[in-house]
Amino acid sequence: MRLYTIHTGNFKLDGGAMFGVVPKVLWNSLNPADANNRCTWAMRCLLVEDGNRLILIDNGIGNKQDAKFFSHYDLHGEHSLRARFNNMASIETISPTCCSHTCTSITAAEVLLERAIA
């Protein structure tokens, strides 16, 4: 079994919300906040190669939301799963997908895979 991380871009979220009760002086040196108190976070998917099966865990932020939604996250960097994945294998060869949470992507992997296979 082989594991690959696929970086699909960066986004920003409020540092206070992410670190909770931990004082800003403790986390700001490791993950500096911008003028709006937002910290940069990376989006990464995990590709599991198990024999002849490819399993995708998580799928990035997707593209199903409107511009206002995305403005809250200040997406930056390469955030296309397809662009990053094409360097590794054909997206059509993915067996199952597993979403660890769906707060922003809401089954974006399934939609992406349906379009790729159709």
Side-chain angles (χ1 to χ4, degrees), residues 49-105:
E49 181 181 27
D50 185 22
N52 61 353
R53 290 178 21 153
L54 292 176
I55 303 163
L56 182 64
I57 301 173
D58 286 332
N59 54 39
I61 199 162
N63 61 3
K64 295 176 67 177
Q65 306 296 334
D66 62 14
K68 182 179 179 184
F69 173 87
F70 287 117
S71 71
H72 297 292
Y73 295 98
D74 187 19
L75 298 177
H76 54 286
E78 175 59 54
H79 52 273
S80 166
L81 176 61
R82 179 176 292 282
R84 302 293 293 176
F85 191 78
N86 281 340
N87 294 329
M88 302 181 74
S90 170
I91 200 162
E92 289 82 6
T93 62
I94 294 175
S95 300
T97 60
C98 173
C99 298
S100 66
H101 56 285
T102 58
C103 56
T104 57
S105 55

Side-chain angles (χ1 to χ4, degrees), residues 15 22 30 34 43 46 57 62-63 67 82-84 94 110 112:
V22 177
L30 297 173
D34 64 12
M43 293 182 284
L46 181 65
I57 301 173
N63 61 3
R82 179 176 292 282
R84 302 293 293 176
I94 294 175
E110 288 78 6
L112 178 65

